[in-house]
């Protein structure tokens, strides 16, 4: 019988461990909970029982919880620890401000309005600031509620310092989390795959009949690796969205890799199975492959890639191999198409190399690096504070989703502070914490978070009330506190937010029962305050931009496309008449920043089927191809390069106007909630060049290459618009089947 019981026990244990491994791969949640429990309980016990300081114990505990549970930071364990230590002075300032203002309800609420907006809006500076926002909000919230005790500020700061410092220390020394794959390594993989594909494409051009199978086989791995560097494919903390030059360079590197792959695909499609070997274009592609491979090594190792002299020499040889002017016997159309497309590949690969140099911290060389791409690397030589100021200024707009979200949070928390002070709630902190926890960037997400918060709190309050009625010996709460902590910090990740809220409510009961005499009314107060905070969060979510980022995304994308169309016309005008389209490109870049901000927030929200009928990435890629393509085009086709050619002048202006009209059409369709549909007849390079023959005939001095490059760029833009299709797979998976679902699923804590 005992052996049977042992067998059943071993089976139950094995089943439990298998379930835990499935729910918590690598035991990441369990390790974090153990770290946090060790630090929080140590600081709390030391402050409460060794030093007899309630304030030190309280602020040490909540400092550890804020840093260990609410702060969601990217990077390795050392990088996360460094971020926490860097944020410690900000936490001190917020605790000091809250302590000073806690004596007056309206002063504390005013401080909450200003600090709430500033901390939330700071997230536009990058994922580290986003990850710290909720934790920093908690420091001010905790200090700004009664009791008003300015004389206890040293104890409060000491507790916060201990909590943050020990969490940072254990992040590195105690069961550190595995480091996620860094974004530069993803770029390195994409650059390496692209290099292999370019080598195969060059081989196929040298041997059109025999090289096709290898090129076709290597294309799919290259496409998958390049697609993996899209920001939408990454968790929010890992996206390089900061204003620093490193993140800017990494984003530009990813965009250039996508453009290089698209041009290489076009080159492969334009090469006939039976054609003459393309010696110069093939040599240029092999040099591009070597440059991309060097960039891949640099991104992996953090060292700058080789000098660009070899690629620049190959570009010059390819440019001179086929003359700019028509030959006496006419145009060699297939060769011209190959040359032009290979040069476009080289342009984008060169941008990859320059961006890699900047990303790994190599010094900027204006003549050979950013000078040729002044518009792309305009911030390369600027100090960090200038770049951050520009990014914050760009997003500080009534149409900016981050600004709207920050204002919503600030108003809701300020209102919660006024309500808590006006009603003289003993535990007003819980009202603000509930508001912060429930409030989301859209009414749908707020509703989703409401049910687990209320149900979990009610369940936890019920258990807490019974516990406080039945258990009066304080030693029980002292001994059981670490167990309650481990459960509170793991159950939510392993089961659901209902259980997480229930266990967190129970944990607060164990804590406050040791800080002051407590009875069942403590559980009642917890439930009451959570309901008040939930009501405030719902009102803020419904009254202030309830659609979240979806409405702003449509508006900003529409403006982005319209500005991109204007930039296209201005760029063609510059090539024809001289000058630079700075004003139009500046407006398009500003519109692109707002669109990116809206899209990043949109991806974090819950969407139903109707909201996901549009492939937002394809729409945004059309604008990006116009903006980045214009800047790359002007490098190889300087302003005025097609001046003095009347027939070309009229044809290109008409083509640019048609492209702008298509962009405006898509812009209006997006703004009105329609799925874009533009009727564009696709044509290859050969067809396009044949169409240009009448403009070239008899023009012995015609700059043919410039004409073809500009015309093919315009054709590529219309092709991008034509590829936009309704998509049920765009964006992250939905949290429910429809926005009108009456039974929303549990959402995460904010």
């Amino acid at each position: 019988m005992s052996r049977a019981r042992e067998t059943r026990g071993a089976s139950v244990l094995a089943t439990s461990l298998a379930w835990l491994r499935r729910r918590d791969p690598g035991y990441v949640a369990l390790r974090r909970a153990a770290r946090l429990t060790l630090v929080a309980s140590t600081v709390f016990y030391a402050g409460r029982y060794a030093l007899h300081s309630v304030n030190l114990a309280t602020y040490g505990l909540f400092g550890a919880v804020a840093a260990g549970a609410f702060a969601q930071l990217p990077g390795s364990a050392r990088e996360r620890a460094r971020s926490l230590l860097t944020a410690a002075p900000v936490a001190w300032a917020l605790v000091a401000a809250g302590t000073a203002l806690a004596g007056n309800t309206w002063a504390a609420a005013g401080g909450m309005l200003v600090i709430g907006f500033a901390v939330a809006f700071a997230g536009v500076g990058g994922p580290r600031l986003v990850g710290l926002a909720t934790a920093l909000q908690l420091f001010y919230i905790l200090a700004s509620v009664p009791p008003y005790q300015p004389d206890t500020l040293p104890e409060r700061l000491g507790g916060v310092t201990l909590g943050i410092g020990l969490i940072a220390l254990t992040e590195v020394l105690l069961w550190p989390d595995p480091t996620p794959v860094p974004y530069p390594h993803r770029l390195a993989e994409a650059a390496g795959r692209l290099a292999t594909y370019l080598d195969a494409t060059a081989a196929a051009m040298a041997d059109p009949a025999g090289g096709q199978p290898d090129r076709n086989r290597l294309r799919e791995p290259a496409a998958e690796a390049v697609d993996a560097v899209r920001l939408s494919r990454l968790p929010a903390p890992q996206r390089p969205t900061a204003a620093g030059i490193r993140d800017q360079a990494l984003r530009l590197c990813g965009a250039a890799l996508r453009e290089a792959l698209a041009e290489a695909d076009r080159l492969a499609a334009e090469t006939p199975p039976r054609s003459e070997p393309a010696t110069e274009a093939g040599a240029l592609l092999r040099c591009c492959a070597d440059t991309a491979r060097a960039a891949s090594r640099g991104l992996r190792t953090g060292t700058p890639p080789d000098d660009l002299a070899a690629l620049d020499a190959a570009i010059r040889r390819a440019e001179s191999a086929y003359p700019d002017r028509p030959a006496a016997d006419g145009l060699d159309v297939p060769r011209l198409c190959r040359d032009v497309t290979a040069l476009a590949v080289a342009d984008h690969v060169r941008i990859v190399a320059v961006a890699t140099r900047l990303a790994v911290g190599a010094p900027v060389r204006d003549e050979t690096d950013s000078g040729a791409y002044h518009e792309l690397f305009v911030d390369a030589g600027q100090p960090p504070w200038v770049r951050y100021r520009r990014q914050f200024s760009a997003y500080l707009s009534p149409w900016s989703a981050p600004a709207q979200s920050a204002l919503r949070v600030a108003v809701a928390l300020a209102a919660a502070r006024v309500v808590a002070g006006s009603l003289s709630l003993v535990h007003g902190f819980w009202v603000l914490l509930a508001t912060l926890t429930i409030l989301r960037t859209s009414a749908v997400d707020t509703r989703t978070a409401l049910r687990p918060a209320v149900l979990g709190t009610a369940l936890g309050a019920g258990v807490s009330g019974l516990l406080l009625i039945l258990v009066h010996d304080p030693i029980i709460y002292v001994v059981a506190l670490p167990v309650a902590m481990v459960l509170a910090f793991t159950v939510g990740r392993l089961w659901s937010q209902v259980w997480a809220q229930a266990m967190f409510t129970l944990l607060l009961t164990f804590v406050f029962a040791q800080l002051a005499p407590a009875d069942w009314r403590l559980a009642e107060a917890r439930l009451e305050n959570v309901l008040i905070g939930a009501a405030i969060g719902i009102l803020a979510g419904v009254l202030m931009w309830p659609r979240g980022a979806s409405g702003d995304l449509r508006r900003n994308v529409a403006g982005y496309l319209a500005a991109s169309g204007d930039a296209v016309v201005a760029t063609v005008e510059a090539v024809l008449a001289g000058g630079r389209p700075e004003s139009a490109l500046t407006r398009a870049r500003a519109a692109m920043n707002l669109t990116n901000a809206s899209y990043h927030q949109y991806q974090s929200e819950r969407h139903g089927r109707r909201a996901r009928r549009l492939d937002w990435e394809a729409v945004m890629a059309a604008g990006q191809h116009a903006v980045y393509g214009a800047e790359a085009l002007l490098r190889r086709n300087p302003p005025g390069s097609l001046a003095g050619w009347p027939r070309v002048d009229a044809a290109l202006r008409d083509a640019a106007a048609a492209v702008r009209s298509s962009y405006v059409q898509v812009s209006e369709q997006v703004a009105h909630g329609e799925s874009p549909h533009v009727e564009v007849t696709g044509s290859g390079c050969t067809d396009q060049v044949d169409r240009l023959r009448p403009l070239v005939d008899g023009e012995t001095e015609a700059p043919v290459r410039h004409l073809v490059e500009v015309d093919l760029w315009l054709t590529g833009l219309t092709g991008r618009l034509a590829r936009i299709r309704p998509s049920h797979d765009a964006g992250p998976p939905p949290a429910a089947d429809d926005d009108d679902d009456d039974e929303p699923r549990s959402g995460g804590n904010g």
Side-chain angles (χ1 to χ4, degrees):
M1 183 66 71
S2 62
R3 180 171 298 178
R5 284 198 297 269
E6 290 176 1
T7 302
R8 285 197 299 271
S11 176
V12 170
L13 179 61
T15 302
S16 301
L17 289 176
W19 175 86
L20 182 61
R21 282 193 294 269
R22 288 196 306 271
R23 303 288 293 187
D24 186 20
Y27 304 115
V28 174
L30 191 60
R31 288 204 307 266
R32 290 179 180 175
R35 274 200 312 266
L36 181 51
T37 298
L38 180 62
V39 172
S41 57
T42 299
V43 174
F44 182 79
Y45 289 149
R48 180 68 182 88
Y49 299 107
L51 301 176
H52 304 287
S53 172
V54 171
N55 280 284
L56 181 64
T58 303
Y59 281 80
L61 171 68
F62 279 97
V65 171
F70 285 90
Q72 303 294 322
L73 295 169
S76 64
R78 289 185 179 276
E79 290 171 333
R80 292 194 299 272
R82 191 180 305 117
S83 297
L84 289 174
L85 295 178
T86 303
V90 180
W92 299 337
L94 295 176
V95 170
T99 301
L101 298 175
N104 183 279
T105 296
W106 292 103
M112 188 75 261
L113 186 65
V114 174
I115 291 173
F117 178 83
V119 171
F121 185 70
V124 303
R128 294 188 188 281
L129 294 175
V130 172
L132 288 168
T134 302
L136 293 177
Q137 298 276 22
L138 287 177
F139 290 119
Y140 178 82
I141 289 173
L142 181 61
S144 68
V145 296
Y148 175 59
Q149 297 174 333
D151 56 309
T152 63
L153 181 59
E155 296 173 70
R156 295 180 175 190
L157 295 180
V160 168
T161 304
L162 281 174
I164 294 177
L166 290 178
I167 285 292
L169 185 65
T170 56
E171 279 276 357
V172 177
L173 300 179
L174 194 62
W175 311 306
D177 293 344
T179 302
V181 178
Y183 186 69
H185 287 191
R186 295 177 183 268
L187 289 174
E189 178 69 15
R193 296 281 187 180
L194 176 65
T196 304
Y197 179 55
L198 292 178
D199 273 333
T201 303
M205 293 174 67
D207 180 12
Q212 294 290 340
D214 281 345
R215 185 188 66 191
N216 295 337
R217 176 176 56 84
L218 294 171
R219 196 272 171 191
E220 190 63 28
E224 291 178 356
V226 170
D227 190 64
V229 304
R230 290 183 181 274
L231 299 190
S232 61
R233 302 292 188 265
L234 305 174
Q238 298 180 29
R239 296 171 187 162
T241 56
I245 189 60
R246 179 177 183 272
D247 278 19
Q248 288 185 17
L250 291 175
R251 294 194 298 271
L252 186 56
C253 187
L257 285 170
R258 291 192 295 272
E259 294 297 329
L261 177 65
E263 294 294 344
D265 285 342
R266 188 167 73 173
L267 181 63
E270 292 289 344
T271 303
R274 302 181 185 279
S275 62
E276 295 295 324
T279 306
E280 296 80 8
L284 178 58
L285 281 188
R286 284 190 290 273
C287 190
C288 289
D290 293 339
T291 303
R293 203 170 285 113
S296 175
R297 290 193 299 270
L299 289 164
R300 288 189 186 278
T301 62
T303 57
D306 298 335
D307 192 88
L308 295 172
L311 179 60
D312 288 341
I315 291 174
R316 288 192 294 271
R317 286 195 298 269
E319 288 176 335
S320 61
Y322 191 83
D324 285 344
R325 315 300 177 185
D329 56 350
L331 297 175
D332 185 347
V333 174
R335 183 176 179 182
L336 179 60
C337 285
R338 286 198 303 262
D339 285 353
V340 167
T341 310
L343 287 169
V345 173
D347 273 340
H348 294 298
V349 170
R350 196 178 193 281
I351 293 173
V352 170
V354 176
T356 298
R357 287 186 57 83
L358 295 175
V360 301
V364 178
R365 300 176 303 189
D366 290 339
E367 296 80 9
T368 59
D369 285 353
S370 63
Y373 305 97
H374 173 71
E375 296 82 2
L376 297 179
F377 299 103
V378 66
D379 287 341
Q382 299 293 335
W385 70 268
V386 172
R387 296 192 293 270
Y388 276 91
R389 184 197 65 192
R390 287 179 177 172
Q391 182 147 324
F392 282 109
S393 299
Y395 293 147
L396 194 60
S397 161
W399 308 115
S400 165
Q404 293 174 354
S405 178
L407 186 58
R408 182 192 299 112
V409 170
V411 170
L413 291 178
R417 180 61 182 88
V418 170
V419 171
S422 301
L423 298 179
S424 300
L425 299 178
V426 177
H427 297 286
F429 166 75
W430 292 346
V431 177
L432 279 83
L433 180 61
T435 301
L436 184 65
T437 301
I438 291 172
L439 189 62
R440 296 293 192 274
T441 58
S442 71
V444 172
D445 278 359
T446 300
R447 185 188 66 183
T448 302
L450 176 64
R451 188 180 67 172
V454 173
L455 291 181
T457 301
L459 178 61
V463 175
S464 298
L466 290 175
L467 190 64
L468 291 168
I469 291 173
L470 299 175
V471 178
H472 301 285
D473 191 349
I475 193 64
I476 300 297
Y477 300 103
V478 175
V479 173
L481 179 62
V483 178
M485 285 186 180
V486 171
L487 292 175
F489 301 139
T490 55
V491 165
R493 287 180 176 270
L494 302 182
W495 285 350
S496 71
Q497 287 300 313
V498 173
W499 287 106
Q501 290 288 346
M503 294 308 304
F504 191 69
T505 299
L506 193 61
L507 170 61
L508 291 178
T509 300
F510 279 83
V511 170
F512 282 95
Q514 299 179 60
L515 296 176
D519 56 21
W520 63 271
R521 293 182 180 84
L522 179 67
E524 180 187 43
R526 165 71 176 161
L527 179 57
E528 178 186 65
N529 291 347
V530 167
L531 291 176
I532 294 173
I536 295 171
I538 291 172
L539 285 174
V542 170
L543 297 178
M544 302 181 68
W545 302 289
R547 295 177 62 189
S550 60
D552 295 325
L553 180 59
R554 284 194 178 276
R555 184 185 305 109
N556 290 334
V557 165
Y560 179 27
L561 292 175
S564 299
D566 291 340
V568 169
V569 172
T571 301
V572 171
E573 186 66 28
V575 176
L576 292 172
R580 298 193 67 86
E582 289 300 326
S583 178
L585 287 174
T586 298
R587 288 194 300 272
R589 291 189 209 105
M592 180 171 61
N593 288 336
L594 288 178
T595 302
N596 288 336
S598 297
Y599 184 60
H600 293 158
Q601 181 169 307
Y602 174 84
Q603 286 181 299
S604 68
E605 296 177 352
R606 180 175 177 267
H607 307 290
R609 290 189 180 125
R610 291 192 303 274
R612 299 174 63 243
R613 284 161 54 185
L614 184 61
D615 186 349
W616 289 109
E617 288 194 20
V619 177
M620 294 167 62
Q624 186 183 68
H625 190 58
V627 177
Y628 287 160
E631 293 166 338
L633 182 81
L634 289 172
R635 174 182 176 265
R636 295 185 34 76
N637 304 272
S641 56
L642 291 175
W645 197 357
R647 286 189 293 175
V648 167
D649 188 289
L652 289 185
R653 280 196 171 93
D654 289 344
V659 170
R660 181 185 180 279
S661 177
S662 297
Y663 269 78
V664 170
Q665 180 183 352
V666 175
S667 169
E668 293 174 349
Q669 291 168 347
V670 170
H672 290 93
E674 304 172 7
S675 293
H677 50 280
V678 180
E679 296 297 331
V680 179
T681 303
S683 59
C685 176
T686 302
D687 295 334
Q688 284 297 110
V689 176
D690 281 338
R691 184 180 61 82
L692 296 175
R693 282 183 184 275
L695 303 178
V696 179
D697 289 343
E699 297 282 352
T700 57
E701 298 299 318
V704 175
R705 181 169 55 82
H706 296 309
L707 170 62
V708 172
E709 289 194 22
V710 175
D711 191 72
L712 288 183
W713 174 62
L714 294 174
T715 303
L717 292 174
T718 56
R720 289 295 181 106
L721 293 176
R723 286 197 292 270
I724 299 174
R725 293 288 185 271
S727 173
H728 292 287
D729 298 323
D737 289 338
D738 196 278
D739 288 347
D740 297 329
D741 184 4
D742 291 329
E743 293 294 328
R745 302 174 189 175
S746 299
N749 281 340

